[in-house]
Amino acid sequence: MSAKIDLENVSCDFGSFRAVDNANVSIEPGEFFSFLGPSGCGKTTILRMISGFIDPTEGAIKIGGKDMRGQRPNQRPTALIFQNLALFPLMPVWENISFGLEVRGVDKATRRKKAEELLELVDLKGAADKMVSQLSGGQKQRVAIARALAVEPSVMLLDEPLSALDLKLRQHMRAELRAIQKRTGVTFIYITHDQGEALAMSDRIGVMSQGRIQQIANPRDIYNAPINGFVAGFVGENNIFEGKSGAVAAGMAGFDTAYGTLRARINDDAKGSALRLYVRPEHTLLSAAKAEENSIPVTVSEVSFEGAFISILCHSDDGKLIVAELRNDGSATVPDIGTKLHASFDAARAALLPDANVRG
Amino acid sequence: MNDLIRRYGVTITALMCLLVAFWLVMLVVVPNITLFEQSFRPYLPVVDVGGPKDFYSLRNYAKVFDGSIERSFFGIPYMIPVHVMTFGLTIWYSIVVTVACFALAYPLAFFMAKIANPKSLPTLLLLLFIPLWVSEVLRAFAWWIILAFKGPLNALLLAIGAIDEPVRWIVGYDGVVIGLTYAYVLFMLFPIYNAISSLDTNQIEAADDLGAPWWKIHLRVVLPYAKPGIASGCVMVFMLSAGSLLVPSILGSTTSQWFTQTIDQWFKDALDWNTASAYAFILLLLCTVFVSIALKVFNVKLSDIAK
C-alpha cells in the first residue's frame, strides 16, 4: 500500500532560476516526512515534481523503485492535498470523496459505500450529502484527506494544508493527521513553513533553504543538533556569538569572542570554515554569581511574559542582546529590570556552526 | 439616490435622472407600447382609422396561420402555414448557430483562461476585437464574398485539393448559419471566458491528480462551473440570431427565409405596420418563452446569469 520514494540528484530550473538544487532523499514506506523551509525555498517544487505536475530538470524521482519521469499526475500512485484544498464546490461531499473512483469507472453504490467508510475514518460521519460550502474549515480539511485516501495512494502529498486554519484547530488537526497516517500506513510527505507542525508530526524532517536540503534528521536531532546556522535559526531561537574558533579537543572547541573564550561543541567537518556560536535561550542560564565557564556579565533590560515560559531580554556591556528563557513553573525567580547578572550556558548545549549550505 | 444627491447636488442628480427617464420612456417604452397597441388594430385606409372598422382584435396575430403549404417529413406529407414554418426554421437555425458558437467558443475560452500565457492575452484579445471595429454590414458582405461560388474560400480549398469542384456555400440556410455564427461568437466567448478564468486552477489539477482524463475534468469540473457563463452566452447568441435581420438578408439564399425578414416585408413591402407589429411581438414572446424553458431544463437561474 505504501511505497518508498527516492529523489536522486533532483534539480529543477525555472528559466535561469534553480528552484531545487541536487536534492537527495530516501523516504521510507509508511514514513511521515516533512519538508520544512521558508517560502521560496523549493519545497513546493519538490512536491509538484513528486506528484507529476512538473518534471525535474535533472535527476530521477522513483516511487517504489520505479522511475516516474514522463508519468502524468493521473498515472502516479500519489494523491496531493492542495494548500487551498481545491474541493469541488458543485459536488456534495460524497461525490467529492468518490471522484477518484468515479473516473476509474466504479459503480455508484460502491462509490457511495466507500465514501461513507472514508468519512467515518476522518470522523465526519453523516456529512455525505452536505455541500462543501456548508462545512467548517476543519471539516473541509477532513474531506480533502478522505478524497485523497479514496484512490488508495501509496503516497500522500500535503501542501501546507493546515495553514488556513486557526491555531486551536491547527493543533487539533496535527494530531488528527498523524493518527490518520498511523491508521492507514500510507507514506505522508508534508510541506510546511511552520516548524512547530513539522516537529510535532514528522518521523523525519528535511530542512530546506534556497533550493537546497540543509539537513535530514528526526525532529529531535533537527532541534538539538542542527547541522548549520540556517537550520538552528529556522527551527527555534538562538543567541548567536561571532568569533574565531581555536583548538579542538574531543568534539569541543574554544571560541574567541569579545566576551573571552567560550567553549562549545563542534562537528568534525565544520573545522576551519567561518563559524558562529549558537545557543538556545532555554539553555541560557542567569545567575547572580559568575559561572565557571561561558559566563557573560549582563543587565536585564526587559521581561516578557509568554505564558508557558518567561523570556528575559538582557544586554551585555557592549550592548549585545542575550535572551534567556525561564519555565513558568513557579520555581524560578524573575529578575527585576536593571539587575546585573551573569548569563552562562553549558558548553555541551552550545554549538559552533557554519552558515547555510548555499550555492557559491 | 441620497448618496447621489449628497455627492453631486440636487440639480445634477435631477438632470441625470431626467435624462435616463427620457431615454427609457421616449426611446424604449413609448415606441414599444405604440407598436403593441397598433398590433391589435386592423390595417385600414386613413379615412377609416378611428371609424367603426377600427376595433381591437387578435386578427393580426392569427395571420401567421394563413396560407398553408405542403411539406413532407420523412416521406409523410403534411400541410403547414408558411409563416409558422419560417418561425420554426428561424428557431431551429438559431439553435444551430448557438451550438456552433458554443463549440467554437468553449475551447478558445478555456485556452485563454487557463492555458495561454497571460503576457500574450492582450494580443489575443485584440485580434478577436479588431473585426468588431468594422461594421456588421461590411462583415456580412465580406462573408458573402468569401463564400461566393467563385470566391476565395472555394479557390483555397481547390488549391489545397480538399475539394474537386467548387461548393455552393450560400445554399439553404448554410450562409446564414455561417454568418450568424461569425457575427455572434464573441457574445458566447466572453461570458464563458469570464466564468472559466475565475475557476481555481487547483481544481483542475486536483481532478487530474485523482486520475481523471481530460474530458472527464471538463465534464465534471470545468463545465458545471462555467454553466452560468455558458447559459448567458447561449441566451445572448440565440436572441441575437433569432432577431437578426441583416445577416439573413445578405447571406440568405433563395430558399432561406428568416422570421425577421417576414416582419420586415410586412413593414416595408406590405406597409402593414399593424400585422408587422403583431409578428414582432410573436417573435419576442415566443423567444422569451423558449429561452425560459431552456433555462429551466438546464437548471440555470436567471440570477446566476446576471453575475
Side-chain angles (χ1 to χ4, degrees):
Chain A
M1 176 103 177
S2 58
K4 190 171 188 288
I5 297 128
D6 294 294
L7 271 65
E8 294 172 357
N9 308 318
V10 170
S11 297
C12 183
D13 295 333
F14 295 123
S16 61
F17 174 70
R18 176 149 279 207
V20 175
D21 187 29
N22 198 26
N24 279 290
V25 198
S26 225
I27 298 165
E28 298 301 321
E31 191 174 11
F32 196 123
F33 190 96
S34 295
F35 285 103
L36 173 67
S39 54
C41 73
K43 55 193 194 300
T44 299
T45 308
I46 285 194
L47 199 74
R48 291 178 71 82
M49 284 195 288
I50 298 173
S51 58
F53 288 108
I54 34 180
D55 262 332
T57 315
E58 287 161 31
I61 291 171
K62 292 179 179 170
I63 301 179
K66 195 167 155 243
D67 193 342
M68 284 289 134
R69 181 168 283 277
Q71 299 268 40
R72 300 254 319 110
N74 57 21
Q75 297 166 316
R76 297 190 184 202
T78 58
L80 176 60
I81 296 182
F82 290 81
Q83 189 162 7
N84 64 359
L85 305 180
L87 295 173
F88 306 126
L90 299 172
M91 300 182 200
V93 165
W94 80 268
E95 279 188 34
N96 257 286
I97 293 173
S98 67
F99 184 79
L101 303 173
E102 184 188 329
V103 302
R104 283 164 178 74
V106 177
D107 68 274
K108 193 171 170 184
T110 318
R111 277 191 277 137
R112 174 84 198 197
K113 198 163 145 277
K114 181 79 183 173
E116 305 264 6
E117 278 170 28
L118 283 162
L119 278 172
E120 205 160 328
L121 180 79
V122 297
D123 265 332
L124 210 61
K125 234 175 136 181
D129 291 310
K130 284 191 182 163
M131 293 307 281
V132 173
S133 55
Q134 291 172 288
L135 302 179
S136 69
Q139 290 172 323
K140 283 181 189 164
Q141 201 77 54
R142 290 159 205 257
V143 173
I145 294 164
R147 184 177 73 173
L149 285 171
V151 297
E152 300 186 358
S154 316
V155 186
M156 281 272 263
L157 306 166
L158 300 96
D159 186 4
E160 306 204 26
L162 303 188
S163 56
L165 303 182
D166 61 63
L167 181 68
K168 267 270 172 268
L169 198 54
R170 202 154 61 219
Q171 284 172 342
H172 176 72
M173 284 307 293
R174 274 185 201 172
E176 197 80 351
L177 268 179
R178 185 75 190 152
I180 290 169
Q181 194 258 341
K182 285 271 168 282
R183 246 177 281 163
T184 55
V186 174
T187 313
F188 271 45
I189 300 180
Y190 192 88
I191 295 288
T192 181
H193 63 261
D194 181 330
Q195 40 133 334
E197 249 170 60
L199 293 174
M201 291 194 288
S202 317
D203 292 320
R204 283 194 302 158
I205 299 171
V207 182
M208 292 188 69
S209 171
Q210 295 180 36
R212 288 205 167 186
I213 298 179
Q214 306 287 330
Q215 183 173 11
I216 299 171
N218 66 46
R220 276 165 200 244
D221 286 348
I222 290 281
Y223 190 83
N224 292 332
I227 204 166
N228 61 36
F230 176 81
V231 178
F234 195 74
V235 187
E237 301 296 318
N238 299 275
N239 292 312
I240 303 168
F241 298 93
E242 314 268 349
K244 267 184 80 152
S245 58
V248 178
M252 305 294 279
F255 195 63
D256 295 327
T257 67
Y259 316 101
T261 301
L262 306 175
R263 261 164 40 82
R265 280 181 291 121
I266 188 165
N267 282 335
D268 288 340
D269 55 349
K271 266 175 251 168
S273 44
L275 300 175
R276 282 194 265 200
L277 190 149
Y278 291 82
V279 61
R280 301 278 186 207
E282 67 266 33
H283 296 147
T284 304
L285 311 169
L286 294 172
S287 55
K290 192 175 184 299
E292 268 178 42
E293 61 167 5
N294 296 340
S295 187
I296 301 160
V298 292
T299 310
V300 177
S301 53
E302 204 181 318
V303 175
S304 165
F305 182 75
E306 309 276 353
F309 60 90
I310 301 158
S311 191
I312 318 248
L313 281 65
C314 309
H315 281 92
S316 66
D317 296 340
D318 61 349
K320 182 175 172 55
L321 175 71
I322 295 171
V323 182
E325 275 174 18
L326 303 176
R327 275 176 58 82
N328 185 21
D329 57 2
S331 65
T333 46
V334 178
D336 294 326
I337 291 169
T339 320
K340 294 210 178 290
L341 294 168
H342 290 270
S344 66
F345 51 87
D346 186 346
R349 300 284 203 182
L352 294 172
L353 301 172
D355 287 342
N357 169 17
V358 292
R359 290 194 325 142
Chain B
M1 194 65 170
N2 283 333
D3 198 38
L4 274 179
I5 293 171
R6 194 171 48 75
R7 231 183 260 185
Y8 301 109
V10 180
T11 324
I12 294 181
T13 308
L15 201 65
M16 282 199 290
C17 292
L18 275 175
L19 284 173
V20 172
F22 175 82
W23 178 71
L24 266 178
V25 174
M26 295 311 288
L27 301 179
V28 180
V29 178
V30 170
N32 270 296
I33 288 180
T34 312
L35 285 181
F36 190 66
E37 194 262 346
Q38 270 192 18
S39 71
F40 295 103
R41 283 164 41 191
Y43 177 45
L44 296 168
V46 181
V47 287
D48 285 336
V49 173
K53 292 186 193 162
D54 198 356
F55 55 89
Y56 292 126
S57 74
L58 285 171
R59 217 177 284 163
N60 292 332
Y61 288 85
K63 279 186 194 161
V64 281
F65 298 110
D66 291 351
S68 290
I69 49 163
E70 193 178 308
R71 293 271 139 175
S72 70
F73 183 74
F74 289 111
I76 307 158
Y78 64 95
M79 299 296 287
I80 185 166
V82 65
H83 291 163
V84 171
M85 191 187 70
T86 304
F87 183 82
L89 286 171
T90 301
I91 296 291
W92 166 245
Y93 283 108
S94 296
I95 294 170
V96 171
V97 168
T98 309
V99 171
C101 281
F102 173 72
L104 286 172
Y106 179 77
L108 185 58
F110 184 78
F111 174 82
M112 279 165 50
K114 289 294 164 207
I115 299 170
N117 185 344
K119 273 187 218 151
S120 60
L121 206 57
T123 322
L124 208 62
L125 288 174
L126 196 68
L127 286 175
L128 289 168
F129 268 123
I130 284 174
L132 278 191
W133 297 350
V134 178
S135 114
E136 200 183 336
V137 185
L138 289 180
R139 280 184 288 143
F141 269 114
W143 271 106
W144 189 70
I145 295 167
I146 293 170
L147 296 175
F149 190 65
K150 291 192 173 171
L153 182 62
N154 274 336
L156 180 77
L157 292 176
L158 282 170
I160 62 171
I163 51 174
D164 293 329
E165 51 192 67
V167 177
R168 224 171 252 294
W169 294 105
I170 305 180
V171 75
Y173 283 86
D174 294 1
V176 180
V177 168
I178 293 171
L180 286 174
T181 304
Y182 174 76
Y184 300 129
V185 70
L186 291 189
F187 290 91
M188 183 69 90
L189 180 74
F190 285 105
I192 301 181
Y193 167 72
N194 274 340
I196 296 179
S197 49
S198 69
L199 170 67
D200 178 10
T201 309
N202 278 349
Q203 296 209 355
I204 298 172
E205 290 188 342
D208 189 6
D209 189 58
L210 289 168
W214 66 268
W215 58 268
K216 191 93 185 175
I217 296 176
H218 281 279
L219 206 64
R220 290 288 271 138
V221 180
V222 187
L223 274 172
Y225 186 83
K227 199 162 90 171
I230 295 168
S232 78
C234 286
V235 169
M236 262 199 275
V237 170
F238 176 81
M239 286 304 243
L240 287 169
S241 299
S244 174
L245 174 62
L246 195 119
V247 175
S249 307
I250 293 171
L251 289 168
S253 71
T254 48
T255 53
S256 77
Q257 173 80 354
W258 213 247
F259 197 68
T260 49
Q261 289 177 293
T262 308
I263 298 172
D264 190 50
Q265 283 152 10
W266 278 117
F267 268 121
K268 293 193 198 139
D269 299 343
L271 293 175
D272 180 353
W273 282 41
N274 307 75
T275 310
S277 309
Y279 274 43
F281 280 101
I282 288 174
L283 181 67
L284 179 68
L285 190 75
L286 290 186
C287 281
T288 310
V289 168
F290 180 81
V291 164
S292 313
I293 292 170
L295 289 182
K296 200 94 184 167
V297 167
F298 289 103
N299 196 16
V300 187
K301 288 193 198 78
L302 215 54
S303 54
D304 292 338
I305 294 178
K307 273 183 217 160

